[in-house]
Amino acid sequence: MFPGLPRIVLFLDLDYFFAQVEEVENPELKGKPLCVCVFSGRTPDSGVVSSANYVARKFGIKAGMPIKAAKKLLPDDSVILPIRLKHYASVSRQIMDTLRKFNTPLRVESVDEAVMDITDAVGGDYAEAEKFARKVKETIRTRFGLTCSVGVGPNRVVAKMAADYSKPDGLTIVKPENIEEFLRDMPVKNLPGIGAKTESILADHHVKTVGDLSRLSLEKLEELFGTKKAQYLYMASRGMYNEAVEERPPPKQVSKIVTLKRNTRDVEEIMETLASAASDAYTRLASAKFFASKIGLIAITSRLETITRQAEIRLGATLDEVLKSLRILLTKLLETDEKMMLRRVGVRFTGLTPVPGQTSLNIFSEG
Ligand code: DCP
Ligand code: CA
Ligand code: CA
């Protein structure tokens, strides 16, 4: 950041994300109440609503609501779809990659949220920031057909509240001189980090708005919430939260462990299971645009010992090459002890380097 320029942050939140992805792919759904649901499978209707479009919300549908309750509220032409998490994650990655092309510091906050520090990109100027925000919205709309809500402000907390302020397809700009007015009458639960519990403790102390909160002393907040949270609430409620937008640190490994159908030391049988684990991890590695320089075999024996073996691989090795290395590691491992039986096996890619070009970091959850 150029020293001296006051920070300008852009927060982007995709509108009714999972449901909107379904709408875009099936345009005939547009205009109908639509819910994307997690079916638990216990009974045909067990489960909860994950994401609802704004038409469904008019009937009182909220994320987290049981499917049964939602069905009672919804009219007959409503559409209920099962969640396709992997697909939304892949759309999310493409969107984040597109945002990275704006070349600003960027942090992926969740599957449907990102924060960008646009200070340098707009030269610290709010009129330019508004143009920049429109350009971002337009890019997401033309490339993906999706609307999003964007907030711009002097820090991440204000920018997020600005994005929440007008949904869907919103754009809210809060300049430093307008922060106080923006926060004064805002319900305190709209401040990021304030859940039901904090809200109720604050209500006991007659704090209903962010303005009320900003009148509590640091000492009082510390007494109620402890040092760390008190400091956050103190700064955030005054619009003075001022942390830099930092990329998540790059991942150190990508791994996957699976349980064998039965305890065995048969190489072919183990390789069959290992291959599907390797393929899963390899796909995650590739879609995150990383190369690995090492492949590890993880073996958990029938006596629950964990043994690992490692080999170098070529940067950019194919899945076939990876499987060959794993087969050699596995064969050698089994040769060390003729009684060894395996119960679980896994793979671990380490020595990661970004593939030159775009890199996506948000998918390293272990499967
Ligand atoms: N989500 C979920 N269960 C919840 C809340 C959210 O599964 N209780 C998932 C589905 C959402 C996604 O996370 O599509 C993003 O959450 P948001 O709270 O941002 O909700 P939406 O994007 O659906 O709606 P909005 O337009 O209000 O942002
Ligand atoms: Ca969100
Ligand atoms: Ca959203």
Side-chain angles (χ1 to χ4, degrees), residues 13-16 112 167:
D13 185 325
L14 295 153
D15 298 322
Y16 62 105
D112 81 327
K167 276 187 178 195

Side-chain angles (χ1 to χ4, degrees), residues 13-18 50-51 54 57 63-64 111-113 167:
D13 185 325
L14 295 153
D15 298 322
Y16 62 105
F17 180 46
F18 298 175
S50 161
S51 175
Y54 282 75
R57 289 184 204 190
V111 72
D112 81 327
E113 294 171 359
K167 276 187 178 195

